[in-house]
Amino acid sequence: MLTATHLLALMPVILVAATVLVVMLGIAWRRRHTPAALVTAAGLGLSLLALLLVSPMAPIETPLMVIDGLALFAMTWILLAALASIGLAHAYLGGFAGPREEFYLLLLSATTGAMVLVASRHLATLFLGLELLSMPLYGMLAYAFHERRSLEAGIKYLVLSAAGTAFLLFGMALLYAQSGRLDLAGLAASLVEPGVWALSGAALMLVGLGFKLSIVPFHLWTPDVYEGGPAPAVMFLASVSKLAVFVVLLRLVLAVPAFQGLEGVMGALALISMLVGNLLALAQSNLKRLLAYSSIAHFGYLLVALAVVNGATLETGMVYLVTYLVATLGALGVITLMSTPWRGEEATALHEYRGLFWRRPFLAGVLTVCLLSLAGIPPTIGFIGKFYIIALGVEAERWWLVAGIVLGSAIGLYYYLRVLVTLYLPGPRMPRFDAPEDWHRRAGGLVVVGLALLVLLLGVYPIPLIESLEWVMAMKRA
Amino acid sequence: MEIAFYLSGGVAVLATLGVITSLHPVHALLYLIVSLIAVAMVFFALGAPFAGVLEIIVYAGAIMVLFVFVVMMLNPGPLAKARERAWLRPRIWLGPSVLAAVLLAVLLATLWRGDPGPVVEGEMLTARAVGTTLFGPWLIVVELSAFLLLAALVTASHLGQAGSSREPDPTTAREES
């Protein structure tokens, strides 16, 4: 039974869900773009405050969800990433010719799904959270459905995500057939020595989640969806959706022994993801496609943390995830600003960024910092993440994986630097795309500058991030 | 009862194959209805009559009939009559009918032999048990499903509106045609 304590613990999720209803009723009453965005941001902000209030009470277990340190940590970053997406979406949608307010509805619903997903301790909430995260994303990616590319992105994501879900459900059915339980604790207890069925179930679930994370054999949708979807939707997809799915995969790996039996598989997937992702990114002349392949490579690095399960897995995984999240949000944020306001096309081709430094020096600086962080150069936060991952691999003596990371990073450096060089070349006299004149005074400008500062700050002084993760770990042990 | 499970399962697989190999949507839908009824029979054979009845009422009964109606009403016109006559040829309805007849035979045979009870072990799941679970500890799942439907509805209504925003520019229109 749900008690008052449980409801209080779920308050952050409930607040976001309530905001969906408020925004929907607001739209039904009167269509206003800016108030809808403000209400959305306020709801997400309230939810962040509620997280602060709930955190002293953690960990709390409700019948289907658990609000523990990991869930609180992930929810905080989900909400921050959603806020960043909204800050950029508002200016971007200013030029959109159709109804704009539905975007916020979809974004809020997807955020609710992501928050449920990271807090799930039962396969039912895991499945529904994942669906609630993916379903609005179809709408967000196909939001500018008059454009062929956007519609294509939405449909591709829909079809492949449905295929992934089918794998996931089949895997769950196999786990249930072996153990008769659906909650993670029960699964962990009854599958101490996983049989063939449990292992195949876990493998199928890994396939299903791998689709969402775009790990290599399941990555084919990624570049097209990144390229076609509206930039704020892609920001949300690349940050919130991937973060939530990775956290739930981390939870499964840490809790259920059947997943730890797949260490070898995960290692192999990690290796091919980082190599294939980086190699394919080399040939890209489109910035969004390049970031898509780079995200494939980054999830290859992240899988290393899951392939080596020991005491440091959780900390390493989360540090790397945060570094990826902040830098990706920043880089995609700059693309969004360049394409703002919406006019049917986006500034995605690399040559549109030629000479950006001479026109918009600060914006070029933000992109530079974020790309350097993705490449893992100090003093950015990306270096800290790479350091953690390599330390984990070396400690576990998984030399193949470490070699893969080093090789992948070396290849990665080449294409990130190629973009950076383009930024500082002399530019064309009449650029087709440019950020709005007053971009730094708008919400979106503040968001990208803030993200770039965060990348630098956490790169120089990562103690707050590490301390908050130690708090998460302490709660796990207690 | 075990044979009922396997027969219905086989029918479900064959009917689903029919769904994905049929070229015409109406044929596919006929097979899909048979497939759903077969799945309902599987539920009955497993001792979950509530799930079986829901499967029939909700899927085969409401949703699929709606699908069939919509597909049949999509292109009304002078050709519609000839097309409907074509649908009544045996080649089209024979497959689903045979599969449905197998299901009927399974049902009758099971009824004829009296009720031997579910063979698969476990207690019978009643509507009451499902209800108390759903609206007790699983309340959050019900709410989440509601939000899932809401999100789907918003997506569908946004994508479904035609021509409310700007006209498609002539270059893309030419590409499409």
Side-chain angles (χ1 to χ4, degrees):
Chain A
M1 274 294 144
L2 284 169
T3 63
T5 327
H6 293 159
L7 282 182
L8 199 61
L10 294 179
M11 197 44 89
V13 184
I14 295 174
L15 275 173
V16 177
T19 317
V20 177
L21 299 182
V22 172
V23 173
M24 186 176 66
L25 292 177
I27 292 175
W29 178 49
R30 200 167 283 177
R31 269 190 188 279
R32 288 277 171 79
H33 183 209
T34 308
L38 282 179
V39 170
T40 307
L44 293 175
L46 273 182
S47 175
L48 266 179
L49 276 183
L51 275 182
L52 214 65
L53 293 181
V54 169
S55 58
M57 296 158 50
I60 303 173
E61 295 199 341
T62 76
L64 296 175
M65 286 159 73
V66 56
I67 307 291
D68 59 359
L70 182 59
L72 288 171
F73 185 81
M75 279 182 185
T76 312
W77 284 101
I78 286 172
L79 288 172
L80 288 176
L83 274 172
S85 307
I86 286 178
L88 285 155
H90 177 247
Y92 178 87
L93 288 174
F96 188 70
R100 309 165 199 154
E101 294 81 3
E102 276 89 341
F103 192 83
Y104 303 105
L105 267 183
L106 295 174
L107 192 141
L108 280 169
S109 312
T111 311
T112 317
M115 289 170 78
V116 170
L117 189 58
V118 295
S120 60
R121 59 184 279 258
H122 194 283
L123 293 186
T125 37
L126 191 158
F127 173 68
L128 271 171
L130 193 62
E131 281 306 292
L132 186 52
L133 172 61
S134 314
M135 184 67 232
L137 266 173
Y138 311 148
M140 285 162 73
L141 288 169
Y143 201 78
F145 59 96
H146 294 288
E147 300 297 323
R148 201 169 49 86
R149 281 177 191 284
S150 173
L151 195 57
E152 178 191 333
I155 287 179
K156 270 193 179 150
Y157 192 62
L158 167 73
V159 172
L160 287 175
S161 175
T165 304
F167 276 101
L168 184 77
L169 279 177
F170 197 39
M172 286 181 183
L174 287 182
L175 282 182
Y176 183 72
Q178 171 108 31
S179 68
R181 302 291 293 269
L182 281 175
D183 54 322
L184 295 192
L187 278 175
S190 54
L191 296 178
V192 177
E193 284 185 8
V196 179
W197 290 115
L199 275 181
S200 16
L204 284 173
M205 282 188 74
L206 180 66
V207 171
L209 295 174
F211 262 109
K212 310 273 172 178
L213 289 179
S214 64
I215 294 165
V216 151
F218 327 114
H219 67 289
L220 292 168
W221 57 271
T222 323
D224 290 343
V225 168
Y226 269 53
E227 189 191 357
V234 174
M235 264 181 91
F236 190 84
L237 169 75
S239 57
V240 173
S241 157
K242 294 202 168 176
L243 176 126
V245 176
F246 185 80
V247 167
V248 87
L249 188 58
L250 185 70
R251 210 183 263 285
L252 282 172
V253 169
L254 290 178
V256 183
F259 281 87
Q260 288 159 18
L262 295 176
E263 266 187 19
V265 178
M266 293 212 204
L269 289 181
L271 198 61
I272 51 174
S273 289
M274 44 195 156
L275 291 182
V276 171
N278 278 321
L279 284 174
L280 288 179
L282 281 181
Q284 299 306 318
S285 60
N286 182 313
L287 196 52
K288 269 167 121 187
R289 287 184 85 88
L290 188 142
L291 284 174
Y293 283 114
S294 120
S295 108
I296 294 172
H298 280 288
F299 277 88
Y301 304 143
L302 266 168
L303 267 192
V304 172
L306 297 183
V308 183
V309 178
N310 60 23
T313 297
L314 190 136
E315 193 178 352
T316 310
M318 293 318 286
V319 166
Y320 199 86
L321 202 54
V322 169
T323 66
Y324 161 82
L325 185 85
V326 178
T328 306
L329 273 177
L332 284 169
V334 172
I335 296 180
T336 316
L337 271 181
M338 284 292 286
S339 320
T340 295
W342 185 88
R343 45 187 173 262
E345 261 184 291
E346 289 189 346
T348 56
L350 199 50
H351 60 81
E352 313 280 9
Y353 291 82
R354 211 179 136 102
L356 183 68
F357 177 74
W358 307 106
R359 286 179 275 144
R360 299 267 181 267
F362 284 103
L363 203 56
V366 168
L367 191 55
T368 308
V369 167
C370 291
L371 288 178
L372 284 179
S373 174
L374 284 174
I377 311 271
T380 57
I381 188 178
F383 171 70
I384 311 276
K386 280 265 164 52
F387 181 81
Y388 262 90
I389 291 275
I390 292 184
L392 186 75
V394 169
E395 203 178 320
E397 300 185 349
R398 304 288 285 268
W399 302 114
W400 277 109
L401 289 178
V402 176
I405 298 170
V406 172
L407 192 61
S409 307
I411 303 171
L413 199 55
Y414 173 76
Y415 62 81
Y416 290 124
L417 286 182
R418 202 164 55 103
V419 179
L420 291 184
V421 168
T422 315
L423 289 182
Y424 296 91
L425 288 176
R429 203 163 305 149
M430 293 287 286
R432 282 176 66 221
F433 289 97
D434 207 351
E437 199 63 47
D438 59 340
W439 67 271
H440 52 278
R441 283 199 297 274
R442 302 249 192 105
L446 292 182
V447 168
V448 290
V449 171
L451 284 168
L453 287 180
L454 198 61
V455 166
L456 286 177
L457 190 72
L458 285 180
V460 179
Y461 186 65
I463 304 292
L465 179 64
I466 293 167
E467 271 179 355
S468 65
L469 276 167
E470 269 163 8
W471 174 74
V472 170
M473 306 262 289
M475 197 179 296
K476 200 98 190 162
R477 275 193 293 271
Chain B
M1 209 64 173
E2 208 165 329
I3 189 79
F5 172 78
Y6 285 114
L7 270 179
S8 321
V11 170
V13 171
L14 286 181
T16 314
L17 276 179
V19 175
I20 56 172
T21 50
S22 303
L23 291 177
H24 198 284
V26 173
H27 308 167
L29 284 174
L30 270 183
Y31 275 114
L32 190 50
I33 293 177
V34 175
S35 154
L36 289 169
I37 296 178
V39 172
M41 285 289 287
V42 170
F43 279 132
F44 283 123
L46 286 175
F50 184 64
V53 169
L54 275 190
E55 182 88 17
I56 289 181
I57 295 177
V58 177
Y59 285 95
I63 299 181
M64 291 321 297
V65 171
L66 207 64
F67 268 40
V68 173
F69 269 129
V70 170
V71 169
M72 287 178 137
M73 280 159 49
L74 267 185
N75 304 308
L79 287 176
K81 251 186 194 156
R83 204 177 52 217
E84 266 187 47
R85 199 161 297 125
W87 282 341
L88 291 178
R89 272 184 311 199
R91 198 172 59 82
I92 283 151
W93 51 257
L94 210 56
S97 312
V98 168
L99 292 178
V102 172
L103 282 183
L104 184 65
V106 170
L107 183 67
L108 287 180
T110 320
L111 287 178
W112 188 258
R113 286 174 40 206
D115 182 23
V119 167
V120 178
E121 283 177 26
E123 66 268 36
M124 189 84 93
L125 203 58
T126 60
R128 187 189 166 82
V130 173
T132 47
T133 314
L134 268 188
F135 288 93
W138 282 50
L139 185 61
I140 195 113
V141 169
V142 179
E143 298 296 328
L144 283 177
S145 318
F147 268 95
L148 185 60
L149 290 179
L150 176 67
L153 194 65
V154 172
T155 306
S157 86
H158 176 74
L159 298 187
Q161 51 192 325
S164 63
S165 67
R166 74 195 179 101
E167 299 293 309
D169 56 310
T171 51
T172 56
R174 208 177 307 128
E175 265 175 36
E176 278 157 13
S177 63

